[in-house]
Amino acid sequence: MENFLSGRFYTITNIGKVRKTNEDFADAALNPFGQLMIVVADGMGGQNCGDFASQTIGKGLIKEFKEYEKPFTKNKQVSKWLYKNINKYN
């Protein structure tokens, strides 16, 4: 896998006209090998603890990505890593 993305990352969300709070999560991180991961986790549409759910999975994936001990070199490796860590924080 090649690194081909460079630039800046910004987030902005809007709670809209119905909700009182924003349940969304968005963040980006580099791992120790300079690889980028962007996480976007949508809240659960007003369900109980939607904000907790999106924050938990988002922050968990960022944490695990920063601590992963080898570079990602194959798409299958990324898929396995995602599957493992989504299940860990879900």
Side-chain angles (χ1 to χ4, degrees), residues 68-80:
Y68 195 59
E69 297 179 353
K70 51 188 171 183
F72 290 100
T73 58
K74 299 188 184 307
N75 288 338
K76 189 171 185 176
Q77 178 189 12
V78 175
S79 296
K80 286 182 178 183

Side-chain angles (χ1 to χ4, degrees), residues 27-76:
D27 200 0
L30 291 173
N31 68 10
F33 307 97
Q35 296 171 313
L36 173 69
M37 181 176 71
I38 298 172
V39 176
V40 177
D42 192 24
M44 296 170 42
Q47 298 294 319
N48 288 337
C49 300
D51 55 341
F52 176 76
S54 63
Q55 294 285 322
T56 299
I57 190 69
K59 289 179 180 180
L61 289 174
I62 294 289
K63 174 188 176 296
E64 297 295 332
F65 184 72
K66 288 180 176 180
E67 295 175 357
Y68 195 59
E69 297 179 353
K70 51 188 171 183
F72 290 100
T73 58
K74 299 188 184 307
N75 288 338
K76 189 171 185 176

Side-chain angles (χ1 to χ4, degrees), residues 7-18:
R8 295 185 177 154
F9 174 76
Y10 300 92
T11 64
I12 187 169
T13 62
N14 186 316
I15 62 172
K17 297 178 182 178
V18 178

